[in-house]
Amino acid sequence: MRQLGILGGMSWESTASYYRLLNQGVRERLGGLHSAPLLLHSVDFAEVAELQHRGDWLAAEALLAKAAQGLEQAGATALLLATNTMHKVAPAIEAAVDIPLLHIGDAVGQALQDQGVKRAALLGTRFTMQEDFYRQRLAERFDIEVMIPSAAQMTEIDRVIFAELCQGQFLPQAREFYLDCLRSLQAQGAEVAILGCTEIGLLLDGIDAPLPWLDSSALHVAMGLEWMLGGV
């Protein structure tokens, strides 16, 4: 197996899911006592969130690029950035290392393309929904039209992520609000929803949603597993 580096802590709730799912995947594929060869750099999310809200993306780039270099020096052969939003600085991370960054947008885009989806709704932080780094990648590489919620819905989706989900709170009223957002996007023609924040899958786990959805973190983990187990 090839050793995989994880840039995590954004939030640690979702990073814990990455760790669990990667190890479960290795055990299911190889059996016995096998587990995933991982290196983890978990940042202080308060620092990253402050940089996000100040719009200081250059400082965020520097922080994560340095962490990525440390993982490469420690022996990682590829990287998973265990967050959707911070893929905004993916180019800076890629430029800082000589190992591949397995991009979450490519994992999502390939799954949508394989299913023949042309119009997908996107739920995530306001950065992920409003800015073009995620939507443009899906459009240019996979010919996917990305739909986003209304401005008022995006505000509440973002608030719930930072005030509740990232702090381990998965409340019934938040779950119902997200389901209402999916219903409205389905009515506008969305075929599938992208859970483009790694905590949203935790909120909607096991729920019968009005619109089929793809969990970006689960797809990202699957990409990481393919890398680790390539040739096994």
Side-chain angles (χ1 to χ4, degrees), residues 172-189:
Q173 56 267 37
R175 187 173 295 113
E176 188 55 40
F177 175 78
Y178 275 64
L179 293 175
D180 283 342
C181 290
L182 294 181
R183 292 185 189 100
S184 65
L185 289 161
Q186 182 185 43
Q188 296 170 50

Side-chain angles (χ1 to χ4, degrees), residues 137-209:
R137 194 176 189 97
L138 293 179
E140 292 181 353
R141 296 195 174 204
F142 301 98
D143 194 27
I144 306 296
E145 178 187 351
V146 178
M147 305 168 61
I148 57 176
S150 69
Q153 288 173 327
M154 285 193 286
T155 297
E156 179 62 7
I157 289 168
D158 186 78
R159 186 200 68 78
V160 167
I161 289 169
F162 284 96
E164 298 177 14
L165 305 188
C166 288
Q167 299 188 42
Q169 299 177 35
F170 304 98
L171 305 179
Q173 56 267 37
R175 187 173 295 113
E176 188 55 40
F177 175 78
Y178 275 64
L179 293 175
D180 283 342
C181 290
L182 294 181
R183 292 185 189 100
S184 65
L185 289 161
Q186 182 185 43
Q188 296 170 50
E191 302 168 62
V192 171
I194 304 164
L195 304 189
C197 172
T198 45
E199 287 82 14
I200 299 176
L202 301 174
L203 178 68
L204 298 184
D205 186 36
I207 299 298
D208 185 16

Side-chain angles (χ1 to χ4, degrees), residues 2 11 44 63 70 74 91 119 122 134 156 159-161 202 218 222:
R2 293 187 284 194
S11 69
D44 178 0
L63 188 155
R119 303 185 77 197
L122 175 62
Y134 202 96
E156 179 62 7
R159 186 200 68 78
V160 167
I161 289 169
L202 301 174

Side-chain angles (χ1 to χ4, degrees), residues 41-77:
H41 184 120
S42 188
V43 302
D44 178 0
F45 189 37
E47 180 181 359
V48 174
E50 177 62 22
L51 294 175
Q52 289 176 349
H53 288 283
R54 289 207 320 252
D56 193 350
W57 296 103
L58 288 177
E61 287 178 359
L63 188 155
L64 291 181
K66 183 178 179 180
Q69 289 170 339
L71 290 171
E72 181 179 26
Q73 291 165 7
T77 62

